[in-house]
Every structure is written in structure tokens, then in C-alpha cells.
Amino acid sequence: MRTGISELAIRLRNREISAVELTKAYIGAIEKQNPALNAYVHLTFDTALKAAEQADEMLKEGDAPLLCGIPMALKDNICTDGLETTCCSKILKGFKPYYDATVWEKLKKQGAVLLGKTNMDEFAMGSTSETSCYGAPLNPRNTNYVTGGSSGGSAAVVCANLAVYSLGSDTGGSIRQPASFCGVVGLKPTYGAVSRYGLIAYGSSLDQIGPLANSVKDAAIVFDAVKGVDKRDQTSVDYDYGSSLAECLDRDIKGMRIGVAKEFFDGINPEIKSKIEEAIKLFERNGAVIENISLPALKLALPVYYIIACAEASSNLGRYDGIRYGYRTSSYTSIEDMIVKTRSEGFGDEVKRRIMLGTYVLSSGYYDAYYKKACLIREEINREFDAVFEKCDVLVAPTAPNTAFPLNYKGASPVEMYLSDICTVPVNIAGVPAISVPCGEDAGGLPIGMQIIGRRFGEATVLQAAYFYEQCAGKVIGAYEGGAGI
Amino acid sequence: VIESSGQTRQQAAVRNGVRIMAISKTEIEKLAKLAKLSFSDEELERFTAEFDEIIAFADTINQSIEGGTEQIRNVGARVVSFDDLRPDVVVPSLPNEKILSNVEGYNGFFSVERSKK
């Protein structure tokens, strides 16, 4: 099993290894493997080494935070002062933010060492990371397959041990689905638990930043470090989680009520279904109470998600006009022409599709039939989740209906690709937390993910259930050999 | 009216079992103008077909959930009282030159190519 954050922290404190040595080991591994994997799109080795030196100073002084000196990565839509942040879009190429996202500001203060920014679907719109303007990252488990998306690079760097942990963002499954495809752990926190300040907006009422890590404990440690209210994000919530969640993982699940909603299992690949059912039996054998429940509005979750997310995206992406930052077209005849050409040349096809759908559902004559109605159904989905969590502590479901797609898979239309988000989008619509944990492999050796969903601000229970499963099932997927070798 | 408009579109989309485009090229062009995007003829052709499938997908929200969509009532917009708002206080902001550091050739003005003779 690979070394976790807590063990690395002990080794750093015992001077068995310095933060600079640790960082150099990761830099070496990235230089060797990233050209093939394409998981990082911007490398920040110079600043990483400086940060590592500072981390060593902090460690020497004593009382350094747990994440001090630990090398990590950020998704390319999280703003980093002075370091290129592009959302993997041509329209933002060369853009250097002039402020830090709150999550990065917090981690930096704790001595985190940023190795680079990770590949993703353009503006986080996609399920394979193939819409990136830098080309797709490859799945380290099998490089003929995609990493999933949109936080594909963030999942790949953790999987290949090219970072100890990473942050991603999840609007409709973008942390959990790539975590599932790459066999790592991914946590989408409650909406409002983590500040979105400095996260480049896609669907603002759905977006949430969260960790991808090699174990449930590591994910809990990172969540502990980034959560909290922020006056610069009015949707962040001042919720008191009590003590550190990473320190309360060890809980007997006897009596824990686990809900199983049949709607999450419709149309799921049989191999995945049987692995999740085995996991449910494992919970049951250990004293959990299984409740079979139903969430009828779930079948409307996908169109509701795409309507709301695209409506918000069409508004959020209105700011890319080529005037204040990013790409600008080279020849034009008027200001209007400049804006239209800049956007048409700068955005990729998937982004254009979603802007167009968003514009359509918000346009006069269609607003009531689509956007308003989607918002009403969203309330219904919320009520159903609230009712379910009256009698269940968590829900267990697959993370995705399938394992990783082959690269350049042409067999699916845009809508068929949207359908693959069926298990993850309801969680964002309801704003509840969910984790994806590795749950075995399919016959082809590709990882399968199990999703554990909790009530709003119920991260503690979600993490406890996930930790219990991880401990019980053992490392269900063999640790990836390679990377920094630490 | 809200419930029926989507269904009407869906019904219109399939006549005698033949799928009829729910959205025309002209409508796509109008939308593109609103979204400040432009498409070449070839892109427009492909996009219209794809978009048609996407609209049909979005239309599925008009399928009734158990007991019919009339169950869903407007829960009403959340009303925020003035007492809930933060005081309107001026706080330091980022310096202008930093905010504008990504603007190419900024010298107090945004410069673009001359477009009017």
C-alpha cells in the first residue's frame, strides 16, 4: 500500500526525508511519466521547490500543519496567483490569475507544495477529459482508456503517484467519476462546505471543490484542510463539523442505516451492479441495516441537471469576450465581430453546445417550459432526498454505470455521453455530499467505483462508511507501482 | 401552458413515426447570435442535428413523474430581507494594474483594431 499523508507527515517530522527531497522525487517521476500520460498541463517546479524549502523551515520550527511539505496538484480551473490557469480552453490560454482561490490560499498557508495544474475537460464540461485543448490525459491503469472527467488529470496524477493528493471540482460527477475510472478516492463535499472563490465558474449552483486521494483517510485530511465558510463566497456555509473528520473515521457501522435506491441500479453494467451488491452485503454482514428505498424523481435528474448547468454556464461564460484576458481573434471588422470570432475560435464544440442549450432554455418563450420547470423538479428531487435521509444515514450506489471508455470512443452521441452521468448528477442537484471509493475491477481489469451519499453536511458519516469499507475490503485494487515510488 | 409546451414539441417531433427536426437552422442561427457565437455552414448542419437530439433530451422533463407533473408546485422564490444583507462598506480591492495585467498592451485604455473608418 502506498504511503499516506499521515505517514509521510511522520517521516517528514522525523527527518527521514525532507520536503525538498520528497518534492524532487515527485518532479523526477513527473518528468519521466507525464509526457506519456498528459495528466499535468502546467508544471510549477520552480515554485514547488521554493515552497518545499519553506516547508522544511516550517517543519524545523515545529508545530507545522499535517499537509506541510506534501506535494500535490490542482485542477486547471482553480486560480493560482501568477500561475497559468486555463480551464484547458484555448480561450484562456496564457491567463495568469491575479489572486489565489481560497482553497489554494488555505493549502499554501499550511505549507502545501504545488507541483502543477492538471488536465481536464474544457471548462469542466465532459465525462472523459477529451475535450481539453491540450488533448486527453491517459488512464494510468490502462493507457488505452480515458481517465474520466472532468477532473481526469487530478485523478490520473493520484493514481500514477505523480502527486500525493489533488483537488478537483464536481458539477455533475467530475470528481467522483474520474476517481472511479482511475481507482482512487474522490469526495464531492456538501454544496457550501468548501469555498468556491477562485474556482472558475461552470454551473454555480452545482459546482463544488473536493479532494482526490489514494485513501479515504487522505481525502478526509484534505477536506479538513480546505473546508469552511468564506466571506468571498456568499454560498459557503459556516457549519460546525466539530473535530477533525480524519480523526473520527474509525466507527463501528453496526446499526448504520444504508439506503439502496433501485433507480440508481437501472441500466447499470451487470459486473458493476454485482460488485456494489457484494459491498452492500459486506455492510449488512457487519451489522448495517439495509433499507430498500425509492427516489422516483431521479429519472428526471439528468435533463434537469443539463438544463440548469447549461443555463448557468451560458451566463457564466458570457464574460469571455477577448477584451480583459485570454485569447483574442486576430482579424475583425467591429467590436461585435471581435467578440463573436474570439468566442467561436476560442471555445471547443462541447462548450459551444452547452452555451447554446443554456441560451435556448433561458430564451424568451422557453424559459418557463425548461429552466423554470427544471428548477421546480430540482425542489422535488431535494424533497425526495430529504425524506430518504429521514430513515437512512447514507445511500450506496454505483458511481458510474460503466467503467472507463476506450480513448476516442466514437460510439456515443453527445446525449448518450450525458446519460453516463446518471448516478452522479442527482447528488449535485440536491447539494448533498458523496464519495467514490474503489470497489474492485471488471473482467478487463478496469476499476469500479462505489458511491456513498450522505445528507447535507453529513461528510463524517459518509467518510466513516467509506473508511469502514476500505478497511474491510482491503485494498481492492492493487496499488499502482511506479510514480514517485514513495 | 408550462406543462403542455414541451409535450407539444415532443408530439410535433414524431409524426407517423417519422422523427421531424424540432429545431430549424434559422432558430439555431438566432440562438447563436444571442450566445455571440458563429458557425460555418458545415458546422451549422452538424450542430442542428446534434442540437435536435439535445432538445429532445431536455424535453423529457415534461414526462410526468408519479402522479403527474401537476404535483410539482412553485415553492416560491426565497425572500431575503434587507436585515439579512451585509452592511455596504467599502473595503480594499485588488490594485488596478494587477487586475488588468492580462490585458495585452493596456495603457489606461483597452486597445482594439480600428473598426470604423
Side-chain angles (χ1 to χ4, degrees):
Chain A
M1 196 146 168
R2 232 163 62 193
T3 318
I5 293 171
S6 319
E7 292 86 344
L8 279 175
I10 293 169
R11 288 171 65 180
L12 283 165
R13 277 153 190 78
N14 290 345
R15 309 278 183 277
E16 287 168 41
I17 190 166
S18 71
V20 169
E21 284 163 351
L22 187 61
T23 303
K24 281 184 176 162
Y26 275 93
I27 290 175
I30 293 167
E31 281 174 337
K32 216 165 117 198
Q33 291 179 40
N34 194 57
L37 288 177
N38 198 27
Y40 281 100
V41 291
H42 313 295
L43 298 167
T44 54
F45 294 162
D46 289 348
T47 47
L49 286 167
K50 276 185 206 136
E53 280 169 23
Q54 281 169 3
D56 278 329
E57 289 300 314
M58 279 168 82
L59 287 159
K60 230 180 263 170
E61 284 163 23
D63 210 24
L66 203 53
L67 291 174
C68 183
I70 309 278
M72 46 74 72
L74 292 173
K75 188 175 179 179
D76 197 33
N77 60 353
I78 297 173
C79 284
T80 42
D81 191 0
L83 301 173
E84 197 171 355
T85 303
T86 67
C87 284
C88 291
S89 177
K90 183 179 169 188
I91 211 158
L92 271 176
K93 265 197 176 167
F95 172 64
K96 287 185 177 165
Y98 26 81
Y99 61 95
D100 283 325
T102 298
V103 286
W104 175 229
E105 193 180 78
K106 284 188 174 191
L107 290 173
K108 214 153 96 171
K109 269 195 199 134
Q110 295 173 47
V113 175
L114 176 69
L115 294 164
K117 310 294 284 281
T118 58
N119 209 344
M120 58 184 276
D121 277 301
E122 185 182 5
F123 282 102
M125 297 177 185
S127 314
T128 63
S129 297
E130 288 174 301
T131 70
S132 162
C133 73
Y134 304 103
L138 308 187
N139 191 323
R141 304 245 169 225
N142 184 335
T143 51
N144 294 319
Y145 289 83
V146 301
T147 53
S150 67
S151 311
S154 286
V157 295
V158 172
C159 171
N161 202 9
L162 301 182
V164 177
Y165 69 92
S166 64
L167 289 184
S169 68
D170 192 315
T171 307
S174 285
I175 288 174
R176 290 159 287 156
Q177 187 254 28
S180 161
F181 282 13
C182 293
V184 301
V185 174
L187 172 71
K188 190 223 72 102
T190 307
Y191 185 77
V194 177
S195 168
R196 290 180 297 113
Y197 178 75
L199 170 69
I200 298 179
Y202 161 21
S204 311
S205 76
L206 304 154
D207 295 339
Q208 189 62 193
I209 295 175
L212 291 105
N214 199 41
S215 69
V216 174
K217 190 171 185 188
D218 282 2
I221 290 171
V222 179
F223 175 65
D224 273 333
V226 296
K227 70 183 191 309
V229 70
D230 177 10
K231 64 177 191 296
R232 294 170 298 185
D233 173 5
Q234 292 297 314
T235 62
S236 67
V237 177
D238 189 9
Y239 184 82
D240 181 12
Y241 282 94
S243 55
S244 145
L245 298 188
E247 283 165 19
C248 312
L249 293 172
D250 220 348
R251 173 184 153 184
D252 190 353
I253 60 148
K254 210 162 273 168
M256 188 184 273
R257 296 164 305 165
I258 295 182
V260 178
K262 59 178 188 295
E263 289 84 359
F264 274 119
F265 291 83
D266 288 344
I268 301 299
N269 169 329
E271 266 184 286
I272 295 177
K273 201 173 162 187
S274 84
K275 291 281 183 201
I276 308 295
E277 282 165 356
E278 272 173 40
I280 293 168
K281 281 192 193 120
L282 188 146
F283 280 121
E284 198 172 17
R285 277 201 304 278
N286 284 281
V289 181
I290 307 299
E291 304 267 0
N292 289 307
I293 49 115
S294 176
L295 289 157
L298 223 58
K299 64 175 187 234
L300 296 173
L302 267 177
V304 163
Y305 166 78
Y306 275 94
I307 289 167
I308 292 174
C310 294
E312 293 177 7
S314 75
S315 168
N316 277 327
L317 272 61
R319 72 191 67 172
Y320 303 104
D321 53 13
I323 294 171
R324 288 152 303 160
Y325 37 69
Y327 172 79
R328 188 191 290 177
T329 188
S330 52
S331 73
Y332 44 88
T333 55
S334 65
I335 299 291
E336 173 79 8
D337 187 45
M338 181 189 88
I339 294 172
V340 171
K341 273 196 181 144
T342 294
R343 289 167 63 80
S344 303
E345 293 164 14
F347 290 134
D349 279 355
E350 186 54 37
V351 174
K352 287 181 196 169
R353 266 193 286 276
R354 296 195 193 194
I355 291 176
M356 289 284 280
L357 178 62
T359 308
Y360 178 76
V361 300
L362 290 175
S363 65
S364 168
Y366 297 111
Y367 178 88
D368 282 350
Y370 293 103
Y371 182 69
K372 190 173 170 194
K373 185 149 188 192
C375 290
L376 295 179
I377 299 175
R378 180 182 198 171
E379 296 287 345
E380 177 66 18
I381 294 171
N382 285 344
R383 278 194 292 272
E384 285 190 6
F385 268 102
D386 287 347
V388 158
F389 284 121
E390 297 262 305
K391 48 183 182 180
C392 299
D393 298 308
V394 291
L395 296 179
V396 166
T399 304
N402 43 272
T403 49
F405 306 102
L407 278 164
N408 302 313
Y409 180 57
K410 299 274 187 259
S413 69
V415 169
E416 282 164 336
M417 285 309 291
Y418 298 167
L419 297 179
S420 71
D421 298 336
I422 182 71
C423 301
T424 44
V425 297
V427 166
N428 301 75
I429 291 174
V432 295
I435 197 166
S436 177
V437 283
C439 180
E441 297 172 348
D442 69 6
L446 292 168
I448 291 170
M450 170 170 66
Q451 195 178 197
I452 301 172
I453 306 164
R455 57 173 72 93
R456 264 172 230 115
F457 300 102
E459 276 86 350
T461 317
V462 167
L463 288 162
Q464 285 158 354
Y467 184 74
F468 179 85
Y469 176 74
E470 190 185 57
Q471 299 302 305
C472 253
K475 188 75 187 169
V476 254
I477 294 178
Y480 181 89
E481 297 300 326
I486 286 168
Chain B
V1 179
I2 298 172
E3 268 72 24
S4 66
S5 59
Q7 281 163 5
T8 312
R9 183 171 274 282
Q10 264 190 325
Q11 284 155 8
V14 181
R15 275 190 207 116
N16 303 325
V18 179
R19 179 110 173 85
I20 292 162
M21 290 297 223
I23 192 152
S24 67
K25 257 205 277 189
T26 324
E27 274 180 287
I28 293 280
E29 278 171 332
K30 196 182 138 203
L31 273 182
K33 203 165 182 234
L34 281 172
K36 298 219 185 297
L37 291 171
S38 67
F39 296 98
S40 69
D41 287 345
E42 182 267 325
E43 281 174 329
L44 200 65
E45 207 65 52
R46 180 167 49 87
F47 216 87
T48 308
E50 278 172 1
F51 205 68
D52 195 58
E53 194 192 344
I54 294 171
I55 297 295
F57 166 66
D59 267 337
T60 55
I61 63 163
N62 291 298
Q63 290 168 1
S64 60
I65 61 165
E66 308 236 328
T69 43
E70 60 281 2
Q71 264 192 352
I72 297 164
R73 296 271 175 258
N74 192 344
V75 288
R78 256 175 229 117
V79 180
V80 178
S81 113
F82 273 107
D83 298 337
D84 296 337
L85 301 177
R86 65 177 163 80
D88 190 11
V89 182
V90 179
V91 290
S93 180
L94 290 165
N96 275 4
E97 63 272 21
K98 204 170 180 195
I99 289 174
L100 295 162
S101 57
N102 278 280
V103 185
E104 218 174 296
Y106 181 79
N107 56 357
F109 300 94
F110 293 99
S111 50
V112 293
E113 294 291 316
R114 174 187 284 271
S115 59
K116 287 244 161 53
K117 296 237 163 78

